[in-house]
């Protein structure tokens, strides 16, 4: 099929290259000429393991093209995906300016029947809004359908997630409107749920909010475990073995961050408010998440007898491993908190340091984990990169001022680090 994908962020670019790889003719569109040139040269504007291989293969084999014009790409396509960003506005509600702009450009390119697919995370009612924009631009109703097809990929495993989705959600006014999309996804051989537009839009928000709720739930339990000498890892295993609960997203830690869960929980609260519903449960999910890193730093402050003048070696800056993304990363919140309590933060991250350099933070950056720990009063693990799992703690013990480690992601065993004389503080353990 001939497909245009508007937007080359995580969702758009990954969707574009995945659909090209499945044998479709895809045009990826971005209004930023630098991104267009970069992709055309086989490189990726986002950090995502494996994506450049997909870009070059599909460019070389002629299935992938890149363009700066959404209107032109629409003209040449049967299906157009709108996959632009919907960042949070100041009040937490999603900013859909880019979706509106994309819809207006798409309208200019429709001269034959075109299926317009909303893949961006958008508030309920946005599908209807896109249809209205097309009509206002003079596109006849017979020439288009707008459907919602939310994306569930995770940064760091985006290509695998796109090729192996648990489910495909299609929100459409009629089964006929959904038919072409069902055909497009047929090679993936995954369950497809066809529903109305509003429900599809809600499913996307509800999924991210439910995941956030699971993590906040286990983080609330981590506080109880710390108080009663329990072990939150075992509690998570114990409840996760119940198939009605499931083991995923029960990893206690410093809380959820990134560009999606914080944005979508805040967005859902605002969307619910706009419908006259006060989503109190979700507000508490957010409050628990905000409290979690503060509480861990309280423990650190208590152990070190204050943070004033202390240097903390922070391992990890990205909001999770396998990404350079620092949007809403817990590392930044924690660094600010430590600084506010009089301490200094020195950090190392395998890929996210350039993004931190571009911000105005007071975090000093080291070339590697060992340099980061040199002379530190305590070590704090924030992002569970694989390369932090097998560090030489014998060597780190000779570098640090105090052999005290705060494990914010539960990757170290107290026994194995104890052998090197380290005192280990773990979230969810006494
Ligand atoms: C999330 C969803 O998982 C995807 O399904 C969705 O498509 C995506 O948002 C989106 O809306 O685009 P992502 O933001 O890439 O994906 O990251 P996750 O893997 O969900 O992790 C989110 C945060 O939760 C991270 O800070 C991670 O450290 C934290 N987390 C995750 C935990 O603290 N514990 C866990 O058990 C799992």
């Amino acid at each position: 099929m001939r497909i245009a994908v508007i937007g080359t962020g995580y969702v758009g670019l990954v969707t574009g290259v995945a659909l090209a790889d499945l044998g479709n003719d895809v045009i990826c569109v971005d209004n930023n000429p630098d991104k267009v040139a970069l992709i055309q040269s086989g490189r990726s504007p986002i950090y995502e393991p494996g994506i450049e291989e997909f870009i070059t293969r599909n460019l070389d084999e002629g299935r992938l093209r890149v363009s700066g014009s959404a209107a032109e790409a629409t003209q040449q396509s049967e299906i157009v995906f709108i996959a632009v960003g919907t960042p949070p506005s100041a009040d937490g509600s999603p900013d859909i300016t880019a979706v509106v702009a994309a819809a207006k450009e798409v309208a200019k390119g429709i001269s034959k029947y075109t299926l317009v697919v909303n893949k961006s995370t958008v508030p309920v009612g946005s599908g209807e809004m896109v249809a209205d924009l097309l009509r206002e631009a003079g596109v006849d109703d017979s020439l288009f359908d707008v459907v919602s097809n939310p994306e569930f990929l995770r940064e760091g495993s985006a290509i695998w997630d796109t090729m192996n989705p648990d489910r495909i959600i299609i929100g459409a006014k009629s089964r006929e409107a959904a038919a072409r999309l069902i055909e497009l996804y047929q090679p993936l051989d995954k369950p497809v749920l066809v529903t109305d537009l509003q429900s599809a839009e809600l499913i996307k928000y509800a999924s991210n909010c439910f995941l956030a709720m699971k993590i906040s739930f286990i983080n609330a339990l981590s506080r109880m475990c710390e108080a009663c000498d329990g072990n939150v890892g075992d509690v998570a295993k114990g409840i996760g073995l119940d198939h009605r609960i499931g083991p995923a997203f029960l990893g206690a830690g410093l809380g959820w961050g990134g560009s999606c869960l914080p944005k979508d929980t805040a967005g859902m609260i605002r969307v619910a408010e706009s419908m006259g519903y006060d989503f109190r449960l979700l507000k508490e999910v957010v409050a628990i998440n905000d409290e979690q890193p503060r509480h861990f730093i309280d423990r650190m402050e208590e152990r070190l007898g204050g943070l004033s003048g202390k240097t903390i070696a922070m391992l990890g800056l990205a909001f999770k491993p396998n990404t350079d993304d620092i949007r809403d990363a817990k590392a930044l919140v924690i660094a600010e908190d430590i600084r506010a309590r009089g301490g200094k933060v020195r950090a190392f991250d395998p890929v996210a340091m350039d993004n931190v350099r571009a911000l105005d933070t007071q975090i000093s950056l080291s070339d590697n984990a060992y340099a980061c720990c040199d002379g530190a009063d305590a070590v704090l693990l924030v992002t569970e990169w694989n390369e932090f799992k097998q560090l030489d703690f014998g060597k780190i013990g000779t570098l640090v001022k105090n052999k005290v480690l705060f494990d914010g992601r539960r990757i170290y065993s107290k026994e194995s680090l104890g052998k090197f004389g380290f005192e280990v503080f773990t979230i969810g353990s006494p």
Side-chain angles (χ1 to χ4, degrees):
M1 287 188 203
R2 284 173 297 121
I3 292 160
V5 185
I6 323 288
T8 60
Y10 278 100
V11 173
L13 187 58
V14 174
T15 301
V17 298
L19 290 174
D21 216 61
L22 289 172
N24 299 289
D25 287 321
V26 177
I27 309 174
C28 281
V29 181
D30 207 290
N31 56 11
N32 178 338
D34 293 341
K35 285 191 184 177
V36 171
L38 197 69
I39 301 167
Q40 234 145 16
S41 73
R43 311 231 334 265
S44 172
I46 54 162
Y47 176 89
E48 182 61 35
I51 195 162
E52 291 192 343
E53 211 182 295
F54 269 69
I55 294 175
T56 33
R57 183 169 62 241
N58 288 289
L59 282 173
D60 290 350
E61 292 172 11
R63 288 184 299 267
L64 179 65
R65 283 181 291 153
V66 200
S67 164
S69 167
E72 272 173 39
T74 301
Q75 242 158 22
Q76 298 169 40
S77 305
E78 307 153 64
I79 304 180
V80 179
F81 285 90
I82 297 179
V84 292
T86 51
S89 329
D91 71 348
S93 60
D95 175 355
I96 55 166
T97 315
V99 176
V100 172
K104 287 181 178 167
E105 283 305 303
V106 167
K108 291 181 195 161
I110 298 182
S111 55
K112 54 173 185 343
Y113 179 82
T114 306
L115 184 64
V116 179
V117 185
N118 228 340
K119 225 181 201 334
S120 303
T121 302
V122 285
V124 178
S126 299
E128 288 294 350
M129 179 206 70
V130 168
D132 286 342
L133 287 168
L134 298 180
R135 277 183 212 111
E136 278 164 28
V139 186
D140 192 82
D141 267 323
S142 63
L143 289 184
F144 73 90
D145 277 300
V146 175
V147 302
S148 164
N149 172 224
E151 180 52 60
F152 301 101
L153 63 82
R154 290 162 299 175
E155 289 180 24
S157 55
I159 294 175
W160 195 92
D161 286 350
T162 305
M163 293 300 204
N164 302 277
D166 286 343
R167 77 300 205 189
I168 292 154
I169 304 293
I170 302 175
K173 278 224 159 113
S174 64
R175 189 90 203 169
E176 294 73 56
R180 213 169 265 217
L181 215 48
I182 296 175
E183 198 187 327
L184 178 69
Y185 287 124
Q186 202 265 329
L188 298 180
D189 195 20
K190 295 293 174 188
V192 177
L193 173 71
V194 179
T195 178
D196 56 85
L197 272 166
Q198 298 86 303
S199 302
E201 288 165 346
L202 262 181
I203 287 168
K204 168 66 196 190
Y205 274 101
S207 300
N208 276 358
C209 291
F210 197 87
L211 294 173
M213 183 181 73
K214 282 189 91 174
I215 302 167
S216 283
F217 184 85
I218 202 69
N219 281 339
L221 279 170
S222 79
R223 298 287 297 274
M224 294 184 67
C225 287
E226 287 171 16
C228 74
D229 287 0
N231 178 336
V232 78
D234 288 346
V235 175
K237 248 182 229 154
I239 61 176
L241 282 168
D242 184 328
H243 75 275
R244 295 169 302 174
I245 296 172
F249 274 66
L250 287 178
L254 290 163
W256 36 271
S259 64
C260 304
L261 268 46
K263 164 174 84 72
D264 292 348
T265 43
M268 186 75 143
I269 289 168
R270 291 282 165 271
V271 169
E273 261 165 24
S274 74
M275 295 172 179
Y277 177 64
D278 180 11
F279 210 144
R280 297 182 304 281
L281 172 64
L282 210 45
K283 287 181 178 170
E284 196 51 36
V285 165
V286 173
I288 291 169
N289 193 55
D290 290 343
E291 206 176 276
Q292 189 72 353
R294 262 199 316 271
H295 164 71
F296 204 45
I297 303 310
D298 286 345
R299 282 179 79 188
M300 179 187 277
E301 189 171 30
E302 194 186 333
R303 166 59 185 85
L304 298 182
L307 290 176
S308 185
K310 305 273 163 53
T311 298
I312 308 304
M314 185 188 268
L315 299 180
L317 290 160
F319 83 92
K320 67 173 186 178
N322 302 320
T323 178
D324 67 348
D325 201 338
I326 53 164
R327 286 176 287 177
D328 263 305
K330 289 297 175 198
L332 302 182
V333 182
I334 290 168
E336 186 46 40
D337 190 6
I338 291 174
R339 203 188 61 78
R341 300 183 199 211
K344 286 194 204 112
V345 173
R346 198 191 301 138
F348 169 72
D349 187 282
V351 302
M353 298 219 286
D354 282 346
N355 286 338
V356 172
R357 260 183 216 112
L359 294 179
D360 183 23
T361 69
Q362 306 218 4
I363 303 173
S364 70
L365 300 171
S366 302
D367 290 342
N368 57 59
Y370 299 100
C372 180
C373 294
D374 198 359
D377 291 279
V379 179
L380 169 62
L381 184 281
V382 174
T383 316
E384 65 275 34
W385 284 96
N386 271 340
E387 71 172 69
F388 294 151
K389 292 180 180 163
Q390 298 287 345
L391 288 172
D392 178 350
F393 276 95
K395 181 172 167 183
I396 291 179
T398 65
L399 297 170
V400 289
K401 218 183 261 173
N402 298 314
K403 290 187 181 181
V404 183
L405 183 132
F406 289 82
D407 180 0
R409 298 289 176 185
R410 300 181 53 83
I411 65 171
Y412 299 117
S413 97
K414 292 192 182 197
E415 293 69 39
S416 58
L417 264 73
K419 280 190 232 141
F420 299 105
F422 271 87
E423 190 184 345
V424 182
F425 291 79
T426 308
I427 281 194
S429 295

